[in-house]
Amino acid sequence: MDFDIHSGELANQKVDAIIILHFQDQPPKEGEEFEKLNAATSGLLREHIREEEFESKLLQTLVLHSPRGLEAKHLVIVGAGQESDYTHSVARQVAAKGAQTAAELGVKTIAIQVYPAPAQETARMLVEGVLLGTYQFNKYKTIDKEKLAKRQLLKITLVSSAPAKIEELRRGAAYGESVATAIMNARDLVNEPPSKIKPSSLAMAAKEVAQLSANISAVVLDKDKLQKEGYRALLAVAAGSSEEPYLIHLCYKPKNARRRVAFVGKGVTFDSGGLGIKPWGAMLSMKADMAGAATVLGIFQALAELEALGQPIDQEVHGVIVASENMISGCAMKPDDIIETKNGKTIEILHTDAEGRLILADALTFTLLQNPQYIIDFATLTGAAIGALGPNYSAYMGNDQPLIKLVGEACQQTGELGWELPLPEIYQKYLKSDVADLQNINKNNFVPGAIYGGLFLQEFVNETPWVHIDIAGPGYENEGDNPVYPKGGTGYGILLGLKLLELL
Ligand code: BES
Ligand code: ZN
Ligand code: ZN
């Protein structure tokens, strides 16, 4: 997709479709651009808004075809809600909805209003919205290929009435394109079928990301090395699979780093449940059990691309991915097994399907050895997180109130939904095993599952400020009703992680 920045008027754009937003406020607060467009069409906009009782609720759309007075074939009006609620993340959603609507009309070129003009951040949001909103994963479709290609935008013009700020807009647009590209790659990784993306594929993807920047390194621990160094929890989970596990360490070290931040990702490329096998319905979508790993890879791709743009992020960032399958064979880990983790603690396996916490235990121990000041892990850890908050919210929890607050702020600012869960000390007793230090689940069904996962991981971070983000819900979208997030892999957490790097 090509981007172009114009100063001037929307009405004069020679494109297939013009996209303009409209606020819900009564009386309507319609800016200069709207007035000009309305005048160019001899009052067509206002006429339709009134006649069709268009309320301009958030993400409502109104399409005018062959609007008189314009060269554009379509005019798309996107409801933007109340102006006082119009944030960066709303701007991204509005752009996504507008671009989606245009793409469905089969148009190739669109012009979109930069509002509020002129801001670098707005340009970034619009580009992200357009790219993320029109993302499709069609690689494996052979029959409808041409029809699907018709729904592909080719060129986007950002139109601003403030000519002096063109350079700023250009920087913002380039930033947005980098971030969106990283997110779309993460989505592709999640959407690929499980026999295509294996633990070794994640290791390869990490090495590819490291190629993008001289400041990024990738070190991969293979099975031999994991055995020598005692990462037995990761090895135990991988034991039933014919695919070997990997621990992957990415490191981004720019010159003037402010802090050392580590992101940890769960990379189970397929979770069958192991011997405690999942029923078929629950096993569906378990190719997405590596969404946390995809998020970490996406953050690193964005770090590399932003650096190449001359807009680098000034933090030292570590990325630790544990990659494995959770499968069944004669070698598979068994219920009743006791495994010894890298940090020496022993775990009684009560359920082979609670595998994420096992591999993350070893990942967190490895991460502590890198001496980070903050740790944030992304993991599709528990169905219970979906039970608690539904499919669109992540559940986050941690051991450090200031860091937890920052995660909440990052959710607010990015529009990636999340909600805090507590890690009550009084529930720590549920972790105790009769025969080992910890048990990987508690059999009592009054014990809250998402919180249990968090309490379990907490045993492996010592005093380091840490937040666990359970993305079982938002990592993989089943409804696909948020215009920024399509069906399938979402890339959830990349915007959040990048925002945290800004806030820390
Ligand atoms: N990968 C799953 C969690 C999951 C469920 C992610 C649904 C996305 C959607 C995890 O490994 C798992 O199986 N968790 C079990 C834990 C249970 C055995 C304590 C679960 O949530 O059922
Ligand atoms: Zn599982
Ligand atoms: Zn899992």
Side-chain angles (χ1 to χ4, degrees), residues 366-434:
F366 178 93
T367 305
L368 286 184
L369 296 173
Q370 316 308 316
N371 214 13
Q373 290 162 293
Y374 303 96
I375 303 177
I376 295 104
D377 78 69
F378 292 100
T380 47
L381 203 70
T382 67
I386 306 175
L389 300 172
N392 302 119
Y393 278 77
S394 70
Y396 61 86
M397 54 209 98
N399 61 0
D400 183 76
Q401 273 310 317
L403 183 61
I404 291 172
K405 260 189 81 178
L406 280 190
V407 171
E409 222 172 292
C411 284
Q412 278 288 326
Q413 289 190 33
T414 57
E416 295 204 306
L417 302 174
W419 202 260
E420 187 192 346
L421 294 181
L423 290 180
E425 233 178 282
I426 50 168
Y427 291 166
Q428 277 173 356
K429 61 176 182 282
Y430 298 132
L431 298 170
K432 297 243 179 310
S433 155
D434 293 335

Side-chain angles (χ1 to χ4, degrees), residues 313-334:
I313 287 180
D314 54 352
Q315 303 276 21
E316 178 175 324
V317 188
H318 292 261
V320 177
I321 291 168
V322 269
S324 171
E325 284 188 333
N326 186 21
M327 297 294 283
I328 293 178
S329 80
C331 306
M333 152 180 96
K334 305 170 188 74

Side-chain angles (χ1 to χ4, degrees), residues 266 268 271 278 286 289 353 355-356 380-381:
K266 172 177 173 182
V268 174
D271 183 7
K278 290 177 185 291
M286 280 303 133
D289 210 16
D353 198 9
E355 84 296 343
T380 47
L381 203 70

